[in-house]
Amino acid sequence: MNIYTFKNEADFNATGASLIASLLHTKPRAVLGLATGSTPVGIYGRLIEMYQQGLVSFAKASSYNLDEYVGLPEGHSESYRTFMNEKLFNHIDIQLENTHVPNGNAADLEEECVKYDAMLEQNGPVDLQILGIGHNGHIGFNEPDDSLDGGTHVAELQEKTRTANARFFPSLDDVPKHAITMGVGSILKAKQILLLVRGEDKAEIVKRALKGPITTQCPASLLQCHPNVVVLLDQGAGRLLG
Ligand code: F6R
């Protein structure tokens, strides 16, 4: 595991974006595993700038997002499909049909999960999987539990997660209670994982995840089992690592 700590946001974003751009240079048909949330937004912004400057192309790449809320109407401002279109896809040359986000409005959610895993199996493995981490150690929407699902599944969101995400909705009641998420098995199949964490409020969970025991009670701790993880932290998130 390679852990890098950054003093300023611009360097954090530039490093994350360069890693993705380098992959696309060596492998234009790369399969990207993408995350939403606030942490990758600056990196997506930097990638857009690089694309505009002719420094990177996504024309042959494909992408698979980690997760999507269940039940938000199509086009809802907080759906992860809308987020990805607005924060990245609409501004670069990726073919929209090559971008994949689980359909949280599928009539049969179980079937949607099976279909998503089949696509990942057929078109994967993911070359580079971007991850953030929740305050409870979740990755994707794999919440701490006695056991975890390997494949894509419907997850019930914990109150802590719903409360953290309530900042994007009019009220806590508007935050969906369920999401479709790739499982930890699918996440760990990626060839390389890029874990992004910012903020002092994440320092404790970063320490537990990266240096604590490997346990399903902290899903991100399973990343310690992966042979190729790069972690980008700001100073706040890295402050307890010593
Ligand atoms: C998002 C996702 C979540 C977030 C995590 C951190 O697709 O799967 O696991 O990565 O909740 O979110 P932020 O970056 O907002 O702190």
Side-chain angles (χ1 to χ4, degrees):
M1 191 174 279
N2 291 311
I3 304 174
Y4 302 96
T5 307
F6 294 87
K7 279 195 189 132
N8 73 66
E9 200 175 330
D11 290 344
F12 178 98
N13 292 335
T15 304
S18 297
L19 251 162
I20 297 163
S22 309
L23 168 66
L24 288 164
H25 289 151
T26 51
K27 188 173 182 188
R29 291 186 184 281
V31 181
L32 302 174
L34 300 178
T36 60
S38 50
T39 318
V41 171
I43 291 178
Y44 295 155
R46 179 69 197 124
L47 282 170
I48 294 168
E49 283 171 12
M50 291 176 80
Y51 164 68
Q52 287 166 346
Q53 293 160 2
L55 299 174
V56 66
S57 170
F58 298 79
K60 294 180 180 157
S62 58
S63 71
Y64 289 85
N65 262 79
L66 281 169
D67 40 22
E68 175 62 286
Y69 288 120
V70 167
L72 290 184
E74 203 184 320
H76 189 284
S77 60
E78 294 309 325
S79 88
Y80 287 172
R81 163 53 79 183
T82 304
F83 177 105
M84 289 310 302
N85 287 353
E86 289 180 353
K87 304 284 185 226
L88 186 64
F89 300 151
N90 288 349
H91 311 284
I92 57 174
D93 60 347
I94 199 161
Q95 304 296 305
L96 218 51
E97 63 269 24
N98 292 338
T99 68
H100 306 89
V101 180
N103 179 5
N105 285 311
D108 184 335
L109 292 171
E110 298 303 329
E111 190 185 308
E112 172 65 13
C113 294
V114 171
K115 263 170 49 189
Y116 206 70
D117 273 342
M119 274 196 297
L120 278 166
E121 199 58 46
Q122 196 180 340
N123 304 322
V126 165
D127 290 292
L128 178 66
Q129 176 67 58
I130 296 176
L131 292 179
I133 183 174
H135 292 97
N136 60 3
H138 75 209
I139 47 176
F141 276 126
N142 294 280
E143 305 280 29
D145 209 336
D146 291 341
S147 65
L148 297 173
D149 282 286
T152 302
H153 59 282
V154 177
E156 189 177 347
L157 306 190
Q158 289 188 352
E159 274 320 289
K160 202 168 180 178
T161 300
R162 293 185 64 243
T163 307
N165 290 3
R167 66 194 195 275
F168 301 116
F169 290 84
S171 77
L172 181 60
D173 282 348
D174 296 300
V175 183
K177 295 195 165 69
H178 295 89
I180 294 183
T181 182
M182 273 166 63
V184 283
S186 336
I187 292 171
L188 291 171
K189 277 186 197 158
K191 290 188 192 164
Q192 184 173 42
I193 291 178
L194 176 59
L195 175 65
L196 308 169
V197 198
R198 294 183 49 220
E200 293 226 0
D201 53 320
K202 296 271 178 81
E204 270 177 38
I205 196 63
V206 164
K207 187 174 178 197
R208 270 181 65 201
L210 305 187
K211 304 289 181 194
I214 297 169
T215 161
T216 58
Q217 295 299 341
C218 177
S221 68
L222 297 178
L223 299 175
Q224 293 180 42
C225 302
H226 193 282
N228 191 356
V229 180
V230 175
V231 185
L232 306 188
L233 305 172
D234 70 0
Q235 283 188 312
R239 93 189 135 90
L240 298 178
L241 288 184

